[in-house]
Amino acid sequence: MLNTSEVVFLQLGAMAALAFYVAANLGANDVANSMGTSVGSKALTLRQAIIVAGILEFSGAVLFGQGVSETLATGVVNAQVFAAQPQVFLIGMVSVLIACGIWLQIATSRGLPVSSSHAVVGAIAGFSCVAAGINAVDWRTIGTISLTWVATPVASGALAALFYSVVKYSILDRPDPLSQMREWIPWLSAAMLSVFGVIVLPSVVDVALVQTGAITLAHDRLGWNLPIHDIVIGIGAIAAIALTLNSWKKLESLENEEGRGEKAEGISTNSSPTPKLRHSPIEQQMARFQVLSACFVAFSHGSNDVGNAVAPLAAIAYIRRTGSFPSGDFSVPLWILVVGGAGIVIGLAIWGKNVIATVGEKIIELQPSGGFCAELATATTVLLASRFGLPVSTSHALVGAVVGVGLIKAWKTVRLQTLLSIGSAWLVTIPIAAGLAAIIFSIAQSIGQF
């Protein structure tokens, strides 16, 4: 016979496996959010995209995923309602995991890029209403989160339109785009690395240097007083300079190749170079920036969306450990973030290709310049949301960004039918997840087995 501690361990292990399954489906469905535009514009192959995204999604989830996880675990429900009945809340969180796993699996198998944030919040609201009535849901928090779902595509689309307008009118549409590209490379490098550096690097430096005691050691032995923000600025500046120099070298190589091609073929007097030929070296250079921006989106996606899979597990583990509803001392253990990050990576590798074509190819025809602007806008939007602990939809951010690029590039090329299909999937996610969670919770309560 198993003793009590062994039973608890097995139950927690089963819940961890369920959260892993949800995270795998989340990774499979949301892979398009980080790498869809790169694959669609041919900047990366599908295999390369999955490998790169897997590494960065896991890193983002483990290093930067705690804030959103805590918001989802405790902020959606009315704590006073469940404070006296934590076991009911525990059963509800199990129902949330099952409901989200089922819906994400169905959506992924049909190639629908749905929002995992919608699914989790809807599922929590669904079981809470059944468990303790409509007052069990913190509707103010739901309202705030819902507002971000509306604001996210608008904000991301506006940023993408702004970025692409600058690139289009300052580089692509100029008589000598290669010369313009040379002048803009430092600015593009600084803009891209600033997004990553300002929002993410402080946390990375804190984990790598502060928590390990490296800064304290440097102060004690060498007398160096190194503020975190100075270290962040220094790392960002070095990275921007290195990227600029490397990009200039690559661009010079592209210019030499283009010159040799023109001499070999000869220049015809009855035709002029087409924009496509003139812009091809530019797009090759932009592809390099797009790959880097895609990496930032992958990191930001892992940091924000891991909470959708592990927040219920974190709440379950807390209740199992303390016997009470998650309170002020609630935090997400590292091992739970690792479970979520690993699940996302496995889902990317096994099922990721089912959804990637929708975002990468079926909204507009993307070139690397447009894909770079869309991904940079998405990373900016989602990372800012992660900083404030808001569970925004990465799907919303990227789709909004791609549409923003399409409106500037050629608004008639935006495929409205694809947008309608995506929008319909977003709309049905909340009621389906809520309904599934309510049904599963009702069944669990009626049979009294957990």
Side-chain angles (χ1 to χ4, degrees), residues 391-415:
V392 300
S393 169
T394 314
S395 300
H396 283 196
L398 188 64
V399 170
V402 171
V403 172
V405 170
L407 293 177
I408 299 299
K409 184 178 180 181
W411 66 271
K412 291 184 179 180
T413 63
V414 178
R415 299 186 178 100

Side-chain angles (χ1 to χ4, degrees), residues 101-115:
I102 291 173
W103 172 238
L104 289 174
Q105 178 81 68
I106 294 172
T108 301
S109 67
R110 296 179 176 273
L112 296 173
V114 298
S115 169

Side-chain angles (χ1 to χ4, degrees), residues 374-390:
E375 288 175 342
L376 185 61
T378 301
T380 304
T381 304
V382 176
L383 282 170
L384 283 172
S386 294
R387 171 62 68 184
F388 293 105
L390 297 174

Side-chain angles (χ1 to χ4, degrees), residues 227-238:
I228 290 181
H229 63 269
D230 287 349
I231 297 175
V232 169
I233 292 172
I235 293 174
I238 292 171

